[in-house]
Each structure stands twice: as C-alpha cells, then as structure tokens.
Amino acid sequence: MIVYNFIRSMDPCNGGTVTACSIYNEAFKSLGLDSHIVSISDHEENENVYSLAENVSSVYGFSIKALICCFKKINHKSIIVVHGLWQFHGFLALLLSYFKKANVIVVPHGMGGAYFDQFKLKKLKKYVYWFFVERLLIKKASCIIYMGEGEKNFCSDLLAGAFSGKELIIRPYLNKVDTLSENFSGLAGLDSDFFNILFIGRDDPIKGLSGFLHELSVIDESCDFDICLNIIGPFSKKTIAGYLRDFKNIKINFFGAIYSIDKYNIIKNSDCVVVPSKYESFSLVALESLMMNTPVIVSNNVGITYDLPMCAGVLIYHDDNELLDHLRHVYASDIKEFDSGQVLELFTKDNFLSSLKLMLSDVSYVSKP
C-alpha cells in the first residue's frame, strides 16, 4: 500500500496546509507505509517531494505532466490523501479514483468554509468547480479528516448532502523545538521596552490583519503601555507601505517570511501572539504559541477555539473591548508562567498516530462506484 499526499504546493509561504501535509507524510511513514508528497506546482524537486510542475499559473490549471505521471504510478492499491480543496490536485485525484480505482481521503484544511452563503457572480467559477469536481470528489472519498471540532462545524453546510461516508477528527501535532534563545539578543526588531504582540500569517484579508490594526490603533490611545506589533509573513512592499502609512501611531515591524527555529525564537520572546482571523478552520499558529508557552489571543472566528480547554494562556475575544481587556491582562500578569501541558496533551504525536492507524483499519478502502 502506497500513500500519496496530494497538495498544490509545498511552498512554506502557504502556511498551515504545508505544515500539516508534512505531518501526515511523516506519520504514515512512522506507521510503516510507503508515503510520498506529490506537489502540482513546485518547480524544485527534493528528496521529500515529487514535483509535477508544468508552469501552471491558475489553481485550476490543468497539468498534462501530472496526469500522465500519476496514471503510470497509481493504482487500486494506492491511497491518495487530498490536502485542500478548490485546486487542480483535487481534480487529478478524482480522475484517478474513477479510472485507476485509487482510494481517496480528503483533508479540507479549512477550505470547506461557507463559500456559498449568498450568490455572488464573482464566485461563478467556484460554483461550477464545486458541481463538476469538488462535489464528486467528496462523494468518492472513503473518509474526510478534520483537524478539529471547529473545522467540522465550519464545513458542515458546504458538505451537507455531498458526503455520507466516514468523518473523523484527527488533531495535528507539532514536533518539539530545541535550541531556543532565552533573550532578545540577535532578534532584530524585538524591543524589550515594548509590549510585543506577534502576528503570523499571509497577506490575505481573511487573516484579519487590517481589522486588527484598526482595533489596535484605537486601543493604543487608551493603553498605559507601549505596544509594538511584530508581523511575520510574506507581505508585499506595497502592502507594508500602506500599513505603515495608515497606522502611524502604532510601532510596526515586518520580519518577512521566517520559518523553523527563527520563527519559534520570536514566538517565545513575544509577550503574546494574536490570531484575529475573520475565518480560520484551526490555526497551527495558536498551537505553536502554546508550545512555546506564549499566551495566544484568538478571535472567536477561529476553529481551534472549539478544541482548546480553558487555560490561562488561551484568551478568546469577540469585540474591541474584550481584546483590550485581554491585552491588559497579559501585560499586567505573569501569564507566561502558565502550564500549557493540559492543552497540548490533546495534540500529541501518539494521539495522532493512534487515530490515523485506527482510520486505516476502520475505513473500507474499496473505491466507490
């Protein structure tokens, strides 16, 4: 049995989906399976990724190279794990499930949100793609795996009537990080004289950064401490210039795209991490923060809030006033001494592997007609 983890791109700028795909690939290998990552858009192949790129610019772009290669390698004994929706690799998996009888598992990674809550002409491409591709892919899937209760709730409206198979919640885990800096030395831009708030995310309106900056600009006027917002993510020069121009009363540092140990160093030395998303199915950033024992302030629109037990380091806000209260609470108290063990015990590698193993033995891998 060979597992193929299908994803559009393993570019780390794509965030949580890339991290989760790597986690699944690692976990399948830990269970003794031959597992591979298959990327449709990456142009640099490495030892961990099969790159089937063919200058595909659109997420719906068709790749003849990917089609031919997969038809040669994949058969009825193969398992395809589709990471994410609304992209060409889902269409490719659908074709392989029909013509090669491959078994399909879908991991939406938050891409099953309420896209069709009201009709909009600009979403016409998505309506068509849903009817002819995604809806059929969901019907063919042996199983859908959600990262948490929040994501399952967010996806329920879209998938209602399209899927009648097995739905599972398998919470992700993060590998422990060593060799962290205990002070601000070497962390350019972090100033211990400020209350350092950290935002990690891509340049996308759904991540809520613009709204958070508006909230922060109002809050800053009534705060009796100096705030610095540090931002990690692949932001364009135009976006950065716009934020610096529009929010001059806030000290803002842009670190750019930072990964692995450097990112964790900044998380650890921040006073708190904020996740202000308008919609987010889970949030690995929140999990990373708790792993570093850094308090996280999360919008109530973030799915991980359904899965986190009450804990001193987890603060959920619904409006500006509650956000200000949480910031003051973190500033005034020694909250960084909280014990994140109670929270993180839900997100362990052992739990993940046990759930994955149970899923593999429980789900019938006979391709649906």
Side-chain angles (χ1 to χ4, degrees), residues 33-49:
L33 297 174
D34 187 5
S35 182
H36 307 275
I37 295 174
V38 178
S39 165
I40 307 302
S41 299
D42 292 315
H43 293 268
E44 290 188 12
E45 193 167 347
N46 60 52
E47 60 181 356
N48 297 314
V49 181

Side-chain angles (χ1 to χ4, degrees), residues 88-108:
F88 170 71
H89 64 278
F91 180 40
L92 182 58
L94 177 63
L95 293 177
L96 291 164
S97 70
Y98 273 113
F99 296 107
K100 301 293 286 187
K101 305 302 179 186
N103 302 290
V104 175
I105 298 169
V106 174
V107 188

Side-chain angles (χ1 to χ4, degrees), residues 3 10 67 88 94 103 114 122 129 153 177 313 320 339 354 362:
V3 180
M10 284 299 287
L67 192 64
F88 170 71
L94 177 63
N103 302 290
K122 67 179 182 179
Y129 201 73
N153 288 342
V177 181
D320 294 3
D339 180 13
S354 296
D362 195 35

Side-chain angles (χ1 to χ4, degrees), residues 145-324:
I145 300 176
Y146 304 106
M147 291 185 289
E149 290 286 352
E151 182 181 21
K152 186 177 180 181
N153 288 342
F154 292 159
C155 289
S156 59
D157 290 340
L158 178 67
L159 302 185
F163 183 69
S164 57
K166 194 169 188 65
E167 295 179 286
L168 296 175
I169 293 174
I170 302 182
R171 295 181 177 88
Y173 68 92
L174 295 172
N175 291 313
K176 288 187 177 180
V177 181
D178 300 318
T179 322
L180 290 171
S181 172
E182 293 292 339
N183 53 56
F184 287 88
S185 61
L187 300 177
L190 279 184
D191 188 338
S192 57
D193 293 331
F194 284 79
F195 180 74
N196 283 280
I197 302 172
L198 180 62
F199 170 91
I200 302 175
R202 65 182 184 274
D203 187 4
D204 188 325
I206 205 168
K207 294 298 182 181
L209 178 58
S210 179
F212 178 69
L213 279 166
H214 279 285
E215 293 169 328
L216 206 58
S217 64
V218 175
I219 287 171
D220 187 63
E221 296 174 1
S222 57
C223 272
D224 50 2
F225 51 92
D226 295 322
I227 290 175
C228 177
L229 178 63
N230 301 295
I231 298 173
I232 292 177
F235 286 79
S236 67
K237 291 182 179 179
K238 182 179 179 181
T239 300
I240 293 172
Y243 283 144
L244 293 176
R245 180 189 65 245
D246 296 340
F247 302 100
K248 292 180 180 179
N249 64 319
I250 305 172
K251 180 178 171 63
I252 305 174
N253 287 326
F254 283 91
F255 285 88
I258 297 177
Y259 309 106
S260 64
I261 192 70
D262 293 328
K263 180 181 74 172
Y264 284 116
N265 265 323
I266 295 175
I267 292 174
K268 183 176 178 63
N269 286 285
S270 296
D271 292 296
C272 69
V273 173
V274 66
V275 185
S277 302
K278 297 176 183 177
Y279 163 79
E280 187 145 358
S281 66
F282 187 73
S283 180
L284 284 174
V285 169
L287 205 55
E288 290 171 332
S289 305
L290 294 171
M291 187 172 71
M292 294 294 101
N293 261 60
T294 298
V296 59
I297 300 176
V298 191
S299 157
N300 66 306
N301 297 315
V302 179
I304 197 173
T305 57
Y306 287 73
D307 299 275
L308 293 174
M310 294 300 292
C311 167
V314 180
L315 303 165
I316 302 168
Y317 74 94
H318 298 75
D319 54 40
D320 294 3
N321 292 331
E322 204 167 9
L323 174 60
L324 176 58

